[in-house]
């Protein structure tokens, strides 16, 4: 899809064939740097602090634990998009 089609990716961590960490690394390594820098938010039942660190280390911008609280998701989305607009 063209750059700008999506504002953010909500990345499931536990997917078959390729987990969210690997998928994020693949996106971050795209040759089109405009596509590679799309904000990615981990969405996972893994809620420990080390899970958040692993998501950030994999190249994600944020981490939100399931079950998702709507107000927290909206807050994180707002912050990530606001950060992206600075660039």
């Amino acid at each position: 899809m063209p750059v700008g089609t999506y504002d953010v990716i909500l990345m499931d961590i536990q997917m078959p064939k390729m987990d969210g960490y690997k998928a994020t690394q693949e996106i971050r390594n795209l040759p089109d740097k405009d596509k590679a820098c799309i904000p990615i938010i981990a969405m996972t039942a893994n809620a420990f602090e080390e899970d958040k660190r692993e998501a950030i280390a994999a190249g994600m911008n944020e981490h939100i634990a399931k079950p998702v609280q709507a107000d927290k998701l909206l807050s994180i989305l707002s912050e990530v998009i606001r950060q992206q607009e600075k660039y």
Side-chain angles (χ1 to χ4, degrees):
M1 299 301 295
V3 171
T5 301
Y6 303 104
D7 293 318
V8 66
I9 295 172
L10 302 176
M11 182 69 73
D12 188 0
I13 297 301
Q14 297 177 349
M15 299 183 296
K17 297 188 182 190
M18 182 183 300
D19 67 29
Y21 302 118
K22 178 68 175 158
T24 297
Q25 292 168 347
E26 292 289 323
I27 292 167
R28 295 298 185 230
N29 289 318
L30 288 171
D32 184 334
K33 295 306 171 192
D34 289 328
K35 290 181 179 179
C37 70
I38 187 168
I40 301 174
I41 300 171
M43 293 191 73
T44 177
N46 302 335
F48 295 110
E49 191 60 36
E50 61 262 20
D51 299 312
K52 182 175 183 175
R53 284 192 299 271
E54 187 173 1
I56 301 302
M60 297 181 201
N61 301 79
E62 264 297 342
H63 173 279
I64 188 164
K66 296 177 188 175
V68 176
Q69 297 172 350
D71 59 333
K72 182 163 181 149
L73 175 60
L74 291 174
S75 174
I76 288 173
L77 285 171
S78 294
E79 182 59 29
V80 167
I81 291 170
R82 190 172 22 259
Q83 288 294 324
Q84 196 67 11
E85 290 173 348
K86 290 181 181 179
Y87 301 105

